[in-house]
Amino acid sequence: MTQNSKPLWLTLVSWAQKLLVKSKLIPTDPVADLNINQQDTIAYVLKTDSLSDKIALSHVCAKLGLPDPYAKLTVKDLSAPRVVATEGAKPLFGKRRDNQEFLSSFQELLALHRSDPNLDVKLVPVGLFWGRKPGKEGDNMSSAMIERESPSWLRKFFMLLFLGRRNFVQFSQPVSLRYMADQHGTDESIAHKLSRVARVHFGRQRRVVTGPSLPRREQMIDALMRSDNIQNAIKEEAQSKNISEDKARQRAYEYLDEVAAGYSDNLVRVADHILTWLWNKLYRGIQITGADRVRQLAHDGHEVVFVPCHRSHMDYLLLSYLLYYQGMVPPHIAAGINLNFWPAGPIFRKGGAFFIRRSFAGNKLYTAIFKEYLDTLFAKGYSVEYFCEGGRSRTGRLLAPKTGMIAMTMQSMMRGTERPITFVPVYLGYDHVMEVATYHKELRGKKKEKESVWQVLGAIRKLRNYGQCYVNFGKPITIHQFLNQQVPDWRKDAGPQGDQKPSWLTPAVNKLANQIMRHINDAAAISPAPLTSLTLLASEQNAMERSQLESQLELYLQLLRKSEYSQHSTVPEMSGAELLQQALDLNKFEVTQDQLGEIISLTEQSAITMTYYRNNILHLLLMPALLASLVTHHKPKAREDLVALAMQFVPMLRAELFFNPECADAYLNRILDAMVELGLLRENKLIKASPDAANQLRLLASVAQETLQRYGILFNMLVHHPGIDRASLEKESQLLAKRLGSLNGISAPEFFDKKLYGNLTIRLKEFGFFDEDSPLIAQTCDTINSLLSDSVLQSIEQSLTPNS
């Protein structure tokens, strides 16, 4: 049956439903994202033989250029339905139709393959979710107008009426029936198998899309209060604090009430409309990469823990919103207790936030309650989100991870969580972060303002279009697989005694935390504002002629594509000129015109601001910049010698910027290959700079200068004062950095951050730089000094030896 041969009644019903229904696709472009070939012979698999589902699918397929589900498949003299279902619609009264009728549809498709050995029908499973309401634990038939898994036609009518504008249509990967026929045959048992696999698939898909049933908050708190672990913690609290058990129980209840989320599907539906308006007002678009991997993890039964970087308060809202539109339930989010103010606190709580104190060391009752609550979230199948950095980054770099939540998650898995727990690192990038100006004030010493409703209202008043934002999902890390590699016998410490801290736990957690941060940076997104900022900040006077800037941006884009830092990072498919124009549209850069053309520049104040955006992606171009510095400051060298010099910087980059190519020397060789191919370098036994690209190579080398100067301060300090303690190192390094910054016009706030030097030293100690008789510090110091300008090196040496 073609679109034009539909019965009149079906055409009228289809037209009426089109007025009521607005379908949202998961993924947003299923043809491209799932590699569905529109020219293939396609059949659709639905869970239920529902008229409204088939009509909705027909409308969606028309927009996507896919075959109409009402058009029958015909091969030779045989025909089969374009849509097969696993079960019939539920009648208002009586029993559902016999499933044998629907099993025969699979048999008809298999019969087509018996008759034509060249036929390959692609089965495309399609799930339709009207409203995506998960329901509450203990719901009864009084909820007849809201979505349930198997609605009768009357309930479906109300769903169309009230939830039609919130219909989610999820396409899945096509399945080749030719492969099934060739591998397993075409008899009735294969039809049974296909139907059974489809039912399992739809069951898992529904759990991912709608989530588990939600507990009522009061019931959940009461159940937690009755748990053995909390009861034992209450008794211990009463004994240790010399208070009555009733008072300890009241304290425990108050802690639970402070922590527990109160997720509300009704609020999520309202927030959907508000956030859609907000994102349309704030951003030109949101670019998402890797969501399909996360969806598959959830579909495969993993307990997903999202661990994003933390740039802005927008992070909570953005990630939850995007996951919702990618066909997943918004996660429960560990939010700082500082956000629990009216009215934000109650709203965040209903959006899935559970509140956590900044520190609860020494408070055994609070610790026990929080662990029990986290265990419950995992046991019930809710995804969780928390920020390993502990707070928002004030510099644009990733912060050193806080390991408390990671340790509790690992211990929860060890105590017996049935489903595998998998961390999903998430890179969040923005063309504009609203808090940047405040961050720089804080770095200059201003006290952090307490969050309040007035801050929220002030931020709303200043809303404008901020360009685009970027969400890249990095390489997942499954805890038990990680432990199998790091601590092969970890299972002997698992079980109910998981709270007993084994000796290997802290080192394993620290290693896992740093791996998570590296995977976040692996998923970085190159975008117009950060890349343009990086280029201008490395130029003299932070200004470049437009054509030169376009050429340099084009070079960086080509270099990043050809050398590939990570398969999870993204580089836009545009030219340098197009990227620059998008950056200029953000109104963050000065454009002046003279008789010779346009000049793009940064003012003194905007240069400070733009260091934040540069730092988001600095790790992607720092090693190419260091190689350019080595080539321009040293005589021509053999490739292996150049790589050996560059490898000296790998420990610092891993310590400071979570540098993570799995094979650093292979990555360095990819960069050199790309630089030779792009004409920056020439290689004939020895590698040397190409005279034709000397200026571009110099500009690339300048990207590393601030980093090299900071390393120069640290390593020269360690060489001149080998026994210096951490506190003195932080203090003296900061003083020297301020002097060097004043002399060389360096305004980047992180350049003067004294904690940076102390933290870097701690990490370098882990890499063996301070082992007895180790020559690493002196060797690395010599290499760094060879790349610094004479004036900078002289300033450092004079400051360290003032009486010489």
Side-chain angles (χ1 to χ4, degrees):
M1 182 186 295
T2 65
Q3 183 74 22
N4 294 329
S5 61
K6 287 180 183 177
L8 178 60
W9 70 268
L10 182 57
T11 301
L12 293 174
V13 172
S14 178
W15 176 82
Q17 181 170 313
K18 192 172 184 179
L19 297 177
L20 295 172
V21 173
K22 182 179 180 181
S23 298
K24 298 177 177 66
L25 299 182
I26 307 171
T28 51
D29 186 2
V31 172
D33 293 347
L34 301 175
N35 296 315
I36 299 174
N37 189 339
Q38 294 158 311
Q39 307 307 315
D40 282 343
T41 305
I42 293 174
Y44 307 99
V45 185
L46 300 180
K47 180 181 182 296
T48 306
D49 184 36
S50 162
L51 175 64
S52 56
D53 285 0
K54 285 190 280 190
I55 291 174
L57 177 60
S58 178
H59 292 154
V60 166
C61 289
K63 293 179 181 178
L64 294 174
L66 295 172
D68 183 33
Y70 284 101
K72 280 203 169 188
L73 286 171
T74 304
V75 176
K76 297 180 180 178
D77 296 329
L78 297 175
S79 64
R82 181 80 64 171
V83 175
V84 294
T86 63
E87 63 184 20
K90 183 179 180 180
L92 187 59
F93 303 104
K95 294 184 178 180
R96 195 189 302 269
R97 283 179 289 168
D98 189 348
N99 281 350
Q100 183 61 40
E101 174 186 342
F102 304 99
L103 187 64
S104 65
S105 299
F106 286 100
Q107 293 174 317
E108 290 177 42
L109 285 172
L110 290 168
L112 292 182
H113 287 75
R114 280 198 302 270
S115 67
D116 185 350
N118 297 317
L119 179 65
D120 185 9
V121 173
K122 297 297 189 336
L123 282 181
V124 179
V126 185
L128 289 95
F129 304 93
W130 303 84
R132 294 177 59 177
K133 192 174 183 69
K136 293 275 189 181
E137 290 180 354
D139 270 348
N140 53 39
M141 290 306 293
S142 65
S143 56
M145 294 186 191
I146 62 175
E147 180 191 7
R148 286 296 179 267
E149 189 169 350
S150 299
S152 65
W153 67 263
L154 180 60
R155 183 181 291 178
K156 197 62 172 287
F157 170 76
F158 285 115
M159 286 164 56
L160 278 171
L161 200 60
F162 295 108
L163 302 173
R165 310 300 287 179
R166 297 174 49 76
N167 179 37
F168 290 80
V169 181
Q170 179 165 355
F171 286 77
S172 299
Q173 288 281 357
V175 176
S176 169
L177 263 186
R178 169 51 56 196
Y179 176 83
M180 293 291 295
D182 291 346
Q183 294 294 316
H184 305 289
T186 58
D187 58 23
E188 185 176 345
S189 66
I190 304 305
H192 276 284
K193 182 176 181 179
L194 283 171
S195 180
R196 185 169 61 252
V197 168
R199 285 196 297 272
V200 171
H201 170 83
F202 286 124
R204 290 179 173 178
Q205 189 180 69
R206 172 167 289 278
R207 183 177 180 86
V208 172
V209 173
T210 66
S213 296
L214 297 172
R216 289 179 169 81
R217 186 170 184 270
E218 297 77 11
Q219 292 178 353
M220 184 177 187
I221 290 176
D222 289 342
L224 284 167
M225 288 290 295
R226 292 192 299 271
S227 70
D228 291 341
N229 288 335
I230 290 183
Q231 286 296 316
N232 292 334
I234 289 171
K235 292 177 182 177
E236 185 178 343
E237 177 79 0
Q239 292 173 0
S240 63
K241 298 293 176 63
N242 196 24
I243 58 176
S244 67
E245 283 197 17
D246 286 342
K247 189 170 183 179
R249 188 173 293 105
Q250 179 61 30
R251 187 173 295 174
Y253 186 89
E254 289 171 357
Y255 286 160
L256 264 175
D257 188 50
E258 174 186 296
V259 169
Y263 185 92
S264 166
D265 183 70
N266 292 330
L267 181 131
V268 170
R269 289 205 303 272
V270 173
D272 172 19
H273 297 291
I274 295 173
L275 290 177
T276 299
W277 167 84
L278 182 65
W279 302 136
N280 288 334
K281 186 174 180 65
L282 287 180
Y283 303 115
R284 288 199 304 261
I286 302 173
Q287 297 190 16
I288 311 156
T289 306
D292 54 327
R293 291 193 301 271
V294 184
R295 213 167 24 239
Q296 189 61 48
L297 280 172
H299 188 274
D300 292 342
H302 287 242
E303 175 61 43
V304 178
V305 179
F306 296 96
V307 277
C309 60
H310 202 3
R311 313 265 192 229
S312 166
H313 282 314
M314 282 292 177
D315 298 342
Y316 311 99
L317 303 175
L318 178 63
L319 187 54
S320 292
Y321 178 83
L322 289 182
L323 289 171
Y324 186 73
Y325 272 95
Q326 290 295 318
M328 291 168 272
V329 179
H332 279 58
I333 306 165
I337 195 68
N338 58 306
L339 294 177
N340 192 17
F341 62 90
W342 189 90
I347 293 173
F348 286 156
R349 198 183 293 278
K350 287 181 178 294
F354 57 98
F355 293 99
I356 180 172
R357 296 182 178 185
R358 290 293 182 187
S359 173
F360 41 91
N363 190 335
K364 292 184 178 180
L365 179 60
Y366 185 91
T367 302
I369 281 170
F370 193 86
K371 284 183 176 180
E372 192 72 12
Y373 179 73
L374 195 63
D375 285 356
T376 300
L377 292 181
F378 291 147
K380 289 183 175 293
Y382 304 120
S383 59
V384 172
E385 173 190 337
Y386 51 77
F387 299 94
C388 291
E389 295 167 281
R392 292 165 293 159
S393 170
R394 266 61 177 171
T395 64
R397 300 162 175 261
L398 292 185
L399 304 176
K402 309 291 185 186
T403 57
M405 287 293 294
I406 297 174
M408 283 190 281
T409 302
M410 187 177 287
Q411 288 178 301
S412 183
M413 184 274 296
M414 292 170 60
R415 282 191 292 269
T417 299
E418 295 182 3
R419 304 165 71 212
I421 300 178
T422 298
F423 289 103
V424 175
V426 188
Y427 174 90
L428 300 172
Y430 302 87
D431 281 337
H432 179 84
V433 174
M434 288 181 287
E435 299 101 320
V436 165
T438 303
Y439 293 163
H440 289 157
K441 291 177 183 177
E442 291 176 15
L443 288 169
R444 289 197 296 268
K446 183 178 179 181
K447 186 178 179 181
K448 179 181 179 291
E449 293 183 15
K450 185 178 179 181
E451 283 80 2
S452 68
V453 65
W454 307 113
Q455 279 188 337
V456 175
L457 295 175
I460 292 174
R461 183 174 55 85
K462 298 175 183 177
L463 291 182
R464 58 182 177 84
N465 193 288
Y466 293 137
Q468 297 195 38
C469 52
Y470 308 83
V471 181
N472 288 355
F473 294 93
K475 183 180 179 181
I477 306 169
T478 301
I479 295 180
H480 74 265
Q481 292 176 355
F482 172 85
L483 288 178
N484 288 342
Q485 295 172 355
Q486 303 298 325
V487 192
D489 60 346
W490 65 271
R491 284 181 173 82
K492 69 181 178 60
D493 295 310
Q497 74 277 14
D499 277 329
Q500 298 176 6
K501 192 174 179 181
S503 59
W504 54 261
L505 182 66
T506 297
V509 166
N510 289 339
K511 193 163 188 176
L512 176 58
N514 281 288
Q515 187 169 320
I516 287 170
M517 304 311 285
R518 290 196 295 271
H519 284 198
I520 291 174
N521 260 355
D522 281 357
I526 292 292
S527 56
L531 191 60
T532 305
S533 301
L534 177 144
T535 310
L536 285 174
L537 287 167
S539 64
E540 294 182 8
Q541 307 301 320
N542 298 333
M544 293 177 70
E545 193 271 330
R546 180 166 187 151
S547 62
Q548 182 191 23
L549 179 55
E550 290 175 346
S551 177
Q552 197 71 14
L553 289 170
E554 179 66 29
L555 172 70
Y556 293 163
L557 290 170
Q558 294 279 5
L559 184 59
L560 288 162
R561 292 180 192 127
K562 293 178 183 295
S563 59
E564 192 184 61
Y565 179 88
S566 160
Q567 63 177 341
H568 299 288
S569 60
T570 54
V571 182
E573 292 296 330
M574 64 175 74
S575 67
E578 292 169 331
L579 184 137
L580 177 59
Q581 187 54 56
Q582 286 195 17
L584 294 179
D585 290 343
L586 298 170
N587 297 318
K588 293 180 179 291
F589 304 93
E590 293 287 315
V591 181
T592 55
Q593 178 84 39
D594 62 18
Q595 293 180 345
L596 299 178
E598 287 184 340
I599 296 175
I600 315 298
S601 63
L602 292 168
T603 64
E604 182 177 349
Q605 182 57 43
S606 64
I608 297 174
T609 299
M610 299 313 288
T611 60
Y612 186 93
Y613 302 97
R614 174 199 63 186
N615 290 344
N616 291 178
I617 63 163
L618 181 61
H619 62 287
L620 298 181
L621 274 162
L622 199 48
M623 191 54 87
L626 288 169
L627 282 169
S629 294
L630 289 166
V631 171
T632 54
H633 287 82
H634 287 247
K635 293 179 180 179
K637 294 183 179 295
R639 177 181 284 243
E640 56 270 21
D641 294 332
L642 196 58
V643 169
L645 282 173
M647 286 292 290
Q648 293 182 9
F649 291 96
V650 170
M652 285 91 79
L653 299 186
R654 283 183 174 156
E656 181 187 13
L657 295 172
F658 301 100
F659 181 75
N660 190 41
E662 293 182 2
C663 190
D665 56 349
Y667 173 58
L668 288 167
N669 278 292
R670 289 201 304 273
I671 296 171
L672 289 173
D673 289 340
M675 293 172 79
V676 170
E677 183 181 345
L678 293 168
L680 289 173
L681 304 178
R682 292 180 179 177
E683 183 175 19
N684 185 11
K685 293 186 178 179
L686 300 179
I687 291 180
K688 60 182 179 181
S690 172
D692 298 334
N695 192 46
Q696 285 192 307
L697 194 66
R698 179 186 60 79
L699 283 168
L700 175 58
S702 297
V703 170
Q705 274 306 296
E706 278 187 23
T707 300
L708 285 170
Q709 290 174 23
R710 195 168 57 253
Y711 291 168
I713 292 171
L714 176 65
F715 277 85
N716 280 284
M717 185 82 70
L718 291 170
V719 167
H720 282 78
H721 307 290
I724 190 170
D725 62 84
R726 181 185 175 190
S728 299
L729 179 67
E730 290 181 0
K731 181 180 178 181
E732 296 300 322
S733 296
Q734 184 187 37
L735 290 174
L736 182 49
K738 286 183 176 180
R739 169 177 283 195
L740 203 61
S742 299
L743 293 172
N744 294 275
I746 299 173
S747 56
E750 75 274 6
F751 193 78
F752 318 110
D753 185 3
K754 67 178 183 179
K755 290 184 180 179
L756 185 148
Y757 297 95
N759 290 335
L760 187 54
T761 306
I762 291 173
R763 295 300 310 283
L764 290 177
K765 186 176 182 179
E766 296 173 10
F767 290 118
F769 272 69
F770 297 94
D771 292 348
E772 190 173 351
D773 299 325
S774 172
L776 287 174
I777 289 178
Q779 288 177 357
T780 306
C781 187
D782 289 342
T783 302
I784 293 169
N785 288 346
S786 71
L787 303 180
L788 296 175
S789 68
D790 292 340
S791 61
V792 169
L793 188 57
Q794 185 177 15
S795 297
I796 293 174
E797 291 178 345
Q798 285 179 348
S799 299
L800 292 173
T801 55
N803 298 322
S804 62

